[in-house]
Amino acid sequence: MPGIRVAEFNDHIRMLNKYYQIITLNDAHKFLNSDPYPNVKNSILLTFDDGLSDHYLAAKILSKHGIKGTFFIPTCILIDKLPANPTIIHYCLAIYGIQKFLVMYRSALRKYNISMSKYNVSFKKGIDNPLGIILNVKSILKYKLKHNIARKILLYIYKNSLLRDYPNAMEIMHLTQDQISKMTKMGHSVGPHSHTHISIASARLTEKDFVKEVINPKKILEDLFHVPVIAFSYPFGLRQDCLTQQELVNKKTEYKLAFTIEEAVNTKNTPSFELNRCSVEIRNRNNVKNLKNDLEKNINANSYIHK
Ligand SMILES: [Zn+2]
């Protein structure tokens, strides 16, 4: 986190601490289970997705303010020592630009004999809107290709760019096991964000892949960090990415809570496997007042913020 964002993050935390009650994941669980839980009005849970390297600094800052956050981690960063899917895309686009990214993407399509006519994406500088092209290639990788094929393409790109140019790419991008261990010792909670960061509902996973992406990550975190893991955060988190309450109940997982990114306040009536969150990007909401206004729009009883 650059200095300016650290200062801003500190300001945000101070404001949240002043106007709201920042609760823990266990508090949220108790509240949803109707256990006696006083003063839930204006309560906020802070969650962080993707296991990004700068979350370690965020965890230390929260700790300094006496706050316990919840960090959702794609377990591939721990077990496979490989980055999550969107992290590969974001870093490659930032470092190499869209042209070079698409050259690598096409080369992966050729390598794995994937239909060029169906999935090729091209970009003409000065003619095409880069944002539209990026959304298109993201949507192909997220929804149109099978999740295991998309993963192969992204790992091919990663190994031929980021990993080649930055041997410590993993530490630049993601939290290390040691950092997560320290974060749990600070009292923060952890939960899975699937294994490789895929759209769980739209992937129509086989039983084996559901175990790999949803069931096993809980055990992985519990075994590595010796903490109870009660919550899952759906990658991407929109309706098309998340199972419904009933669908997840039918899967008989051992989770108690699951988080989407639907922007709304959670009440006692919110299904515990369809929890809402308000998404906050510090760089897009560049002052504390904006953040407070956004929250006020959402909050009347109890809400969760997602960072
Ligand atoms: Zn994510």
Side-chain angles (χ1 to χ4, degrees), residues 51 73-84 170 174-175 180:
I73 291 157
T75 45
C76 62
I77 70 171
L78 296 162
I79 297 301
D80 310 332
K81 310 281 183 227
L82 289 170
M170 277 304 287
H174 282 293
L175 291 166
I180 299 170

Side-chain angles (χ1 to χ4, degrees), residues 49-50 193 197 235-236:
D49 280 0
D50 295 349
H193 193 43
H197 203 296
F236 310 114

Side-chain angles (χ1 to χ4, degrees), residues 125-141:
K125 210 173 169 185
I127 296 170
D128 291 323
N129 168 13
L131 214 61
I133 300 291
I134 291 170
L135 285 178
N136 185 21
V137 77
K138 277 186 178 174
S139 153
I140 290 175
L141 289 162

Side-chain angles (χ1 to χ4, degrees), residues 257-272:
L257 308 171
F259 290 84
T260 73
I261 59 157
E262 293 287 325
E263 285 217 16
V265 165
N266 295 303
T267 69
K268 277 194 187 295
N269 298 326
T270 310
S272 50

Side-chain angles (χ1 to χ4, degrees), residues 153-169:
I153 293 172
L154 287 169
L155 288 182
Y156 172 89
I157 294 174
Y158 167 66
K159 285 173 182 166
N160 287 289
S161 60
L162 292 166
L163 185 60
R164 198 194 53 203
D165 296 342
Y166 305 88
N168 61 338

Side-chain angles (χ1 to χ4, degrees), residues 48-51 72 74 84 86-87 193 197 233-237 261 277 306:
F48 298 75
D49 280 0
D50 295 349
F72 289 109
T87 317
H193 193 43
H197 203 296
S233 150
Y234 284 105
F236 310 114
I261 59 157
R277 286 189 290 184
H306 165 54

